[in-house]
């Protein structure tokens, strides 16, 4: 069984990005890439994500800035913040950390982002361009999964990929990306969701099983074909007295039993989550180079 190690792979890609920043930006006297993040409210998971993004930016030599607002920020004010970030030439790309407080319409805010600075790939223009194989920003988690499959040389062409979960930011885009007629895709994809009857019927047939349904430990060994590749996108905080943070991360897959049966698997933590941040860095680099016109 191969452990798809997001930690070592993300470190490797970060060092590649850092070399590029030095060679193509610093040594040439160009402004280094700048990623901004907007955080509204005090959601602990969101605070951790944003802190990790800041740390990763520093590691590769990017500038990072965080705009923090209280949970009662009005939608109107947040739209003004988006306008400000759209118009600030120093900022190459930015993200609005989700989820937003309930009184704010997420879609309205995302649609206000300039698609050329939308390094999360959430704007409808980027989503549409992704579907058509046009140059765009790919959403970070699916992009991270694609990178992982590519770097670990896991063949996808002609394989049966089963995706569990149809969220806008993971399940739906990864199923689209893997079914496209592109170099690194060409898979046959089945997308299962909350209305699927008998998920196991599909999951046991998967050559590659991608689990992003937000249910801790949902996938058990009996649901997996021997030798399958299992990608776990789940992230659940479980209280723990023996860790510094006071919690431990668990995935959507029952790792101990499934890892005995599959040919490759991503751990949680140390798997897909770290690849997501690297994807955001790659998108910011792309934004800074103005590769998309
Ligand atoms: N919340 C959970 N995942 C993400 C992500 O990839 N981007 C943003 N902006 N918010 C998130």
């Amino acid at each position: 069984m191969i452990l798809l190690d997001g930690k070592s792979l993300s470190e490797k890609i970060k060092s590649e990005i850092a070399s590029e920043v030095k060679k193509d930006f610093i040594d040439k006297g160009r402004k280094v890439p700048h990623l901004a993040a907007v955080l509204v409210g005090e959601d602990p998971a969101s605070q951790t994500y944003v802190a990790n993004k800041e740390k990763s930016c520093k590691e590769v030599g990017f500038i990072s800035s965080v705009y923090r607002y209280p949970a009662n920020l009005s939608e109107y004010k947040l739209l003004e913040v988006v306008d400000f970030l759209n118009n600030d030439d120093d900022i190459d790309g930015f993200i609005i950390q989700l989820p937003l407080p309930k009184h704010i319409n997420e879609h309205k805010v995302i649609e206000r982002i300039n698609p050329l600075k939308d390094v999360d790939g959430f704007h409808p223009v980027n989503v549409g361009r992704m579907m058509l194989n046009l140059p765009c920003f790919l959403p970070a988690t699916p992009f991270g999964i694609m990178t992982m499959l590519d770097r670990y040389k896991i063949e996808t062409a002609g394989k049966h990929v089963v995706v569990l979960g149809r969220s806008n930011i993971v399940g739906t885009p990864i199923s689209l990306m893997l079914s496209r007629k592109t170099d690194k895709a060409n898979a046959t994809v089945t997308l299962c969701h909350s209305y699927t009857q008998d998920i196991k019927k599909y999951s046991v047939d998967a050559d590659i099983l991608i689990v992003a349904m937000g249910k801790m430990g949902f996938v058990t060994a009996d649901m997996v074909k021997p030798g399958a590749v299992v990608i776990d996108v789940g992230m659940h905080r479980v209280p723990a007295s023996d860790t510094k943070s006071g919690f431990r991360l668990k995935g959507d897959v029952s790792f101990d039993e499934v890892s005995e049966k599959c040919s490759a698997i991503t751990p949680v933590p140390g798997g897909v989550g770290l690849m997501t941040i690297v994807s955001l860095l790659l998108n910011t680099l792309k934004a800074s180079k103005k590769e998309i016109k």
Side-chain angles (χ1 to χ4, degrees), residues 8 23 30 42 59 65-66 85 131 143 157 173 182 185-186 195 201 208 220 234 250:
S8 66
K23 185 161 92 31
R30 282 178 61 192
E42 314 268 314
E59 283 169 16
S65 44
V66 182
L85 297 170
M131 204 208 88
F143 182 18
T182 56
N186 286 318
Y195 280 66
K201 183 170 95 184
I208 301 172
T220 45
K250 292 267 183 198

Side-chain angles (χ1 to χ4, degrees), residues 262-283:
C262 60
S263 63
I265 186 167
T266 59
V268 177
V272 173
L274 297 169
M275 297 303 297
T276 299
I277 293 185
V278 159
S279 306
L280 195 61
L281 298 176
L282 289 170
N283 279 347

Side-chain angles (χ1 to χ4, degrees), residues 46 49 53 95-99 120 122 140-141 169 276:
S46 292
Y49 293 146
K53 282 167 196 160
I95 64 145
I96 310 290
Q97 185 64 41
L98 305 178
D120 251 336
F122 289 172
T141 300
I169 66 175
T276 299

Side-chain angles (χ1 to χ4, degrees), residues 155-193:
E155 183 60 79
T156 56
K159 302 291 180 194
H160 186 199
V161 174
V162 176
V163 179
L164 308 186
R166 58 176 160 184
S167 70
N168 287 345
I169 66 175
V170 186
T172 296
I174 192 67
S175 58
L176 197 66
M177 283 156 80
L178 280 166
S179 62
R180 299 275 70 199
K181 189 170 184 175
T182 56
D183 200 15
K184 301 283 167 20
N186 286 318
T188 304
V189 178
T190 302
L191 178 57
C192 297
H193 48 73

Side-chain angles (χ1 to χ4, degrees), residues 76-87:
Y76 180 80
K77 282 278 177 205
L78 183 55
L79 291 170
E80 281 190 344
V81 172
V82 172
D83 289 342
F84 165 79
L85 297 170
N86 281 340
N87 292 318

Side-chain angles (χ1 to χ4, degrees), residues 17-18 20-26 30-36 56-58 60-65 89-94 119 280-290:
I17 298 172
E20 191 168 339
V21 169
K22 179 165 185 322
K23 185 161 92 31
D24 291 347
F25 292 82
I26 299 171
R30 282 178 61 192
K31 180 190 90 63
V32 297
H34 182 173
L35 170 68
S56 301
C57 280
K58 289 208 177 71
V60 299
F62 288 5
I63 297 169
S64 81
S65 44
D89 287 341
D90 195 67
I91 293 170
D92 298 293
F94 63 96
V119 287
L280 195 61
L281 298 176
L282 289 170
N283 279 347
T284 305
L285 191 62
K286 195 173 186 172
S288 163
K289 291 201 272 186
K290 310 275 184 280

Side-chain angles (χ1 to χ4, degrees), residues 75-143:
E75 182 181 282
Y76 180 80
K77 282 278 177 205
L78 183 55
L79 291 170
E80 281 190 344
V81 172
V82 172
D83 289 342
F84 165 79
L85 297 170
N86 281 340
N87 292 318
D88 185 338
D89 287 341
D90 195 67
I91 293 170
D92 298 293
F94 63 96
I95 64 145
I96 310 290
Q97 185 64 41
L98 305 178
L100 288 169
K102 296 237 173 331
H103 66 277
I104 298 178
N105 181 336
E106 223 160 77
H107 294 293
K108 199 165 162 186
V109 175
I110 288 169
E111 287 206 54
R112 189 77 156 240
I113 300 172
N114 174 352
L116 298 174
K117 290 192 173 191
D118 170 39
V119 287
D120 251 336
F122 289 172
H123 190 285
V125 164
N126 280 312
V127 178
R129 291 179 70 96
M130 170 184 70
M131 204 208 88
L132 298 168
N133 282 344
L134 294 169
C136 65
F137 294 112
L138 296 173
T141 300
F143 182 18

